[in-house]
Amino acid sequence: MRYASGNAFSFMDKICALVVLLCFLHISVVLVYYIRNADSSQTLKTTNLQNHQIHRKLTEQGVTTEETKPPSVSNDTETERKLETCPDNPPNLVGPLRIEFSDLVTLDLVREQNPALQPGGRFKPQDCIAQQKVAMIIPFRNRDEHLKFWLYYMHPILQNQQLDYGIYIIIQDGDDAFNRAKLLNIGYAEALKEYDYQCFVFSDVDLIPMDDRNIYKCFSQPRHLSVSMDKFGFRLPYATFFGGVSSLSKEQYLNINGFPNNYWGWGGEDDDIFNRISIKGMSISRPDGMIGRCRMIRHGRDKLNDPNPQRFDQIAHTRQTMGQDGISSLSYKILNVEKDQLFTKITVDVGKP
Ligand code: BGN
């Protein structure tokens, strides 16, 4: 009996020890799994956060590349994810900007700072569908110093504004009087040959916005964007002023038969465009005076851009001329096309005054 109970005791002992051992083993396994899981989910969270921050930072600087996109959880969800239209208020806008023209800017620096650009100075946002496809048209001759600054400031601004855009520099060949409005018409026609643009921003090469909330897109009415220029003491020089930077949708542009082709030399063509818009019953939309502030790069008057003596007579007859003179009567010859990461340059023979 003693033996038996002694045996029974040691048998119970062994069972207990085994149970304790199994419990210990179970707890250890659970503990190891718990620690490993907690660790790896923490690592994943940190990596995601860091990448997101880098992506945000680069996006803030106007850079969106495949490598900087935050990693997606699975490829399937990424391809299935439908991109949404970009918001009315792009999230990375900064507001007032410091614009200076003393920096040592080079085109190579601008190329380096804008790695997401495609040939022709083309860009579209990666994480949403741009609200508008916008062609930026710049009439140009012998202003490389200004163009450098324009590209330096404008590319990051336009990328932060989440536009699907391209840059078209339209260069007048030869030494005849400059014909700004005809160059703008040519820019419209040439840009449309390349892409289904819905909106056209017409900008002088020497004007830079001082606030990136001044969005370079189109509105329900033709838009005047350069409303408070430093040159004019940050106010409109006169109420109907439409010079500097403006935007028109394709429909608005066609409604006025584009711009006049016969203003040779400085002045009046922007007043003619204003007349066309009001004759067709449209009004001018403008940003608020603070948001619409812009800087002009100081320069003397161009040698080949003397005031056009016929401009007073011309702007008095817009109603009679606009039907025949415009995009419907545009003729020119392309002499050269240069595609760069930062722009498309098109050199044209615009004919004689
Ligand atoms: C105006 C010019 C505009 C020019 C502005 C600002 C004319 C037409 C005859 C009155 N208009 O006087 O073309 O953009 O000044 O410089 O000259």
Side-chain angles (χ1 to χ4, degrees), residues 102-283:
S102 53
D103 307 339
L104 284 171
V105 172
T106 64
L107 285 183
D108 275 337
L109 173 75
V110 185
R111 288 186 191 104
E112 233 170 75
Q113 290 181 342
N114 294 277
L117 292 178
Q118 300 296 312
R122 297 279 299 271
F123 172 86
K124 59 168 99 173
Q126 296 289 301
D127 39 16
C128 56
I129 298 168
Q131 288 195 359
Q132 294 182 12
K133 297 172 180 164
V134 190
M136 310 286 159
I137 316 281
I138 300 183
F140 189 87
R141 185 165 61 184
N142 299 331
R143 293 277 196 95
D144 289 299
E145 270 304 295
H146 296 179
L147 181 61
K148 204 176 63 175
F149 286 118
W150 193 91
L151 295 165
Y152 173 72
Y153 283 116
M154 289 312 301
H155 270 303
I157 293 175
L158 298 172
Q159 287 168 60
N160 269 354
Q161 293 184 345
Q162 297 185 314
L163 301 168
D164 178 352
Y165 72 87
I167 309 288
Y168 298 84
I169 318 288
I170 315 298
I171 307 170
Q172 179 170 335
D173 189 55
D175 290 340
D176 286 320
F178 196 59
N179 191 331
R180 176 177 182 265
K182 185 165 183 176
L183 293 169
L184 297 180
N185 278 338
I186 296 169
Y188 168 90
E190 289 301 313
L192 266 187
K193 284 183 191 166
E194 202 174 81
Y195 194 47
D196 179 26
Y197 289 108
Q198 305 141 334
C199 172
F200 299 82
V201 170
F202 303 98
S203 175
D204 287 349
V205 69
D206 53 1
L207 281 173
I208 315 288
M210 294 170 69
D211 193 309
D212 61 2
R213 290 169 295 176
N214 191 1
I215 299 188
Y216 274 37
K217 66 174 186 179
C218 287
F219 293 77
S220 61
Q221 298 296 317
R223 182 104 161 159
H224 184 223
L225 294 147
S226 53
V227 299
S228 333
M229 290 163 53
D230 57 352
K231 175 186 172 184
F232 298 126
F234 293 111
R235 59 175 67 151
L236 283 173
Y238 51 98
T240 59
F241 178 54
F242 199 62
V245 190
S246 58
S247 74
L248 281 86
S249 68
K250 192 176 171 186
E251 291 69 32
Q252 291 160 357
Y253 178 90
L254 290 174
N255 189 14
I256 60 169
N257 191 23
F259 301 158
N261 294 302
N262 300 318
Y263 282 74
W264 299 90
W266 182 89
E269 85 295 339
D270 46 355
D271 303 303
D272 190 293
I273 297 168
F274 176 87
N275 289 347
R276 288 172 182 238
I277 290 167
S278 64
I279 287 167
K280 286 291 175 179
M282 293 185 281
S283 54

